[in-house]
Amino acid sequence: MLDRTDFLILDELSKNSRITMKDLGEKVHLSGPAASARVIKLEERGVIEDYTIKINQAKMGYPVHAIVHIYTKNPNHQPYLSYIKKQNRYVVHNYKVSGESCYLLECRFPSNEELDEFLTGISNYVSYKLSIIIK
Amino acid sequence: MLDRTDFLILDELSKNSRITMKDLGEKVHLSGPAASARVIKLEERGVIEDYTIKINQAKMGYPVHAIVHIYTKNPNHQPYLSYIKKQNRYVVHNYKVSGESCYLLECRFPSNEELDEFLTGISNYVSYKLSIIIK
DNA sequence: TTAACTCCTTTCAAAAATAAAGTCAAACGT
DNA sequence: ACGTTTGACTTTATTTTTGAAAGGAGTTAA
């Protein structure tokens, strides 16, 4: 399905998604139009889902990075999920998981104060364990 | 420091990092060169760290997505860290965290068999708890 | 008032993207 | 064995985008 050249292309686009098709072509020993055609196919097949940027959240004012393990006491998760949705400025991911906990919440905060408020908020719906990411 | 227009630019680039400066300019009510100048500044300030793509890992053959909580028994983490480095084809992130566990490992596998092998491998160095991401 | 900045626009030459045409080789049916 | 189709590529030529340069408008400070 995917050949060596496709992998090289994905690798280059991962490193720099704004590379020109001409330069991408050179890197993978193809002409610009050929590289472009490959990329379009990768998009169509859904292998490339998105072109995006990595933002330095600390410089954006969100230096506190945390993982919160959620243990829902109530079988109805909706109140928790609604609350999370309302607090989405802090939430990076909310994974439903199998294992000990029910959800794994990755989030970012401007300060510990706001983290504290957030945790106070969710404790109305669920119990949790907190891990702060150090690096 | 960052104004409303910068936030709009970051938002648009997050959604599509390959947008042309001309189109980006239109979206944020600026000329192409003005948008381009803003973007260059955001890069220089380190707010934009990287232009990258989101790859559908399932279509790449890595459908199993897991978070592994690592508890190091030994105060010397090096053997664990070296092992992780060797297994980097599976590892998305290896966060050092404060809290109950020592590291939070986000990883992806082609199958449960390979997840099993990986876990067998790390159990030589550390103990762990596994969470499989369902969605 | 004037000078120095900042941030923008417009203009235009150079570079890149894209559409189109043509080449080549492998696969397939007759 | 021959012609046809298909897929992936290159080259060429047109269109579009980029990025440099020049200049204007608003702000601040001497």
Side-chain angles (χ1 to χ4, degrees), chain B residues 7 12 29 41 44 48 79 84 87 89 106 111 135:
Chain B
F7 280 103
E12 290 300 332
H29 310 297
K41 272 201 184 165
E44 284 169 352
I48 296 175
I84 287 303
Q87 300 292 113
R89 69 187 170 289
E106 178 183 350
S111 67
K135 68 168 192 182

Side-chain angles (χ1 to χ4, degrees), chain B residues 29-79:
Chain B
H29 310 297
L30 241 45
S31 66
S36 177
R38 290 256 190 172
V39 169
I40 288 165
K41 272 201 184 165
L42 289 168
E43 291 168 9
E44 284 169 352
R45 285 193 260 179
V47 176
I48 296 175
E49 287 187 329
D50 222 352
Y51 295 92
T52 185
I53 55 174
K54 201 167 139 218
I55 293 176
N56 183 323
Q57 294 296 339
K59 295 204 175 159
M60 288 280 287
Y62 283 70
V64 180
H65 193 185
I67 304 278
V68 188
H69 308 244
I70 302 296
Y71 305 83
T72 51
K73 4 186 184 186
N74 192 310
N76 177 14
H77 297 180
Q78 211 47 58

Side-chain angles (χ1 to χ4, degrees), chain A residues 25-73:
Chain A
E26 274 175 29
K27 294 237 185 201
V28 304
H29 310 297
L30 239 47
S31 66
S36 177
R38 289 256 191 175
V39 169
I40 288 166
K41 273 200 184 168
L42 288 167
E43 291 167 8
E44 283 169 352
R45 285 193 260 179
V47 176
I48 296 175
E49 286 188 331
D50 224 351
Y51 294 92
T52 184
I53 54 174
K54 204 169 138 214
I55 292 175
N56 185 321
Q57 294 295 341
K59 296 205 172 156
M60 288 279 287
Y62 283 71
V64 180
H65 192 186
I67 303 279
V68 188
H69 308 245
I70 302 297
Y71 305 83
T72 50
K73 2 185 184 184

